Amino acid sequence: GLPLILLYRLPGMIPVGLAAGLLLLWNGQQAAKRDPTWFAPWLQIGRARFDLGQIEQAAQAYVKALSLAERPELHYELAECYIKLGRTDDALNQCAAALALDGTVVAAYVLLALILMDRGDNAQAEEVLRTALRRKPDAAWPRFELGNMLFSQGKNNEALAQYDAILRNGHPFA
């Protein structure tokens, strides 16, 4: 394997984030060579390429992983790629596919709601976030986005109630 020294930032060396991304990519590629029918190396390759800013290649890795296993996180992460590539309709479809497999994937609800908000469909976005909270009442991310949406609509008391719920649940980023 690669020496661990690559994970440290030394003068003249590549940054830690880049080194870690390259190491993850290399490990994923090696695992994919050993077993090209297993989805996990392709997921790792997709994540590494995404982190390295290689979005089109990340999307290709997620598509390959999805051809091997139908998993909600693969659809969600492919949706993230599509957002970065400006393919919002494809991102919406991937969010829907993730939620069809697992209706508790909070990240897919939030991404779907953010796309809808960007398109000006705040009523539908609010319903998506409320659905996420019905499925996972303690989830902070959809509650935070719902609070932001309500605040932007001048519904300050409702927004504060959402933020307060996050604080009461003791979420680490609160």
Side-chain angles (χ1 to χ4, degrees):
L2 293 176
L4 289 179
I5 193 70
L6 286 180
L7 297 179
Y8 298 99
R9 179 73 167 115
L10 299 174
M13 301 235 2
I14 55 178
V16 170
L18 179 58
L22 291 171
L23 182 60
L24 285 173
L25 178 59
W26 183 83
N27 285 336
Q29 290 169 334
Q30 296 306 307
K33 285 179 189 173
R34 283 190 301 278
D35 185 357
T37 64
W38 188 31
F39 82 93
W42 295 102
L43 172 61
Q44 184 172 329
I45 290 167
R47 287 177 175 167
R49 290 206 179 276
F50 188 90
D51 290 345
L52 292 168
Q54 301 169 351
I55 307 305
E56 186 65 47
Q57 295 91 334
Q60 292 168 4
Y62 293 132
V63 167
K64 174 66 175 173
L66 277 165
S67 75
L68 301 170
E70 187 79 5
R71 298 176 58 100
E73 69 271 20
L74 297 172
H75 285 288
Y76 168 74
E77 294 190 36
L78 181 55
E80 284 188 310
C81 290
Y82 287 156
I83 288 293
K84 292 228 180 229
L85 295 170
R87 297 171 55 183
T88 54
D89 288 338
D90 292 329
L92 282 171
N93 292 335
Q94 292 303 316
C95 287
L99 293 170
L101 291 171
D102 181 354
T104 64
V105 180
V106 170
Y109 283 110
V110 172
L111 186 55
L112 180 58
L114 292 172
I115 294 167
L116 292 168
M117 280 187 264
D118 189 56
R119 292 181 170 188
D121 192 350
N122 288 342
Q124 184 65 34
E126 182 176 342
E127 181 53 36
V128 166
L129 292 171
R130 292 189 185 281
T131 299
L133 290 170
R134 282 192 295 277
R135 302 279 176 118
K136 283 201 157 183
D138 292 338
W141 192 13
R143 194 169 297 286
F144 179 75
E145 294 299 341
L146 180 59
N148 289 345
M149 173 189 281
L150 294 168
F151 186 75
S152 72
Q153 295 171 353
K155 301 175 183 176
N156 298 345
N157 290 336
E158 291 178 60
L160 289 173
Q162 296 302 320
Y163 300 142
D164 187 53
I166 294 170
L167 293 172
R168 278 195 317 275
N169 288 331
H171 287 281
F173 74 85

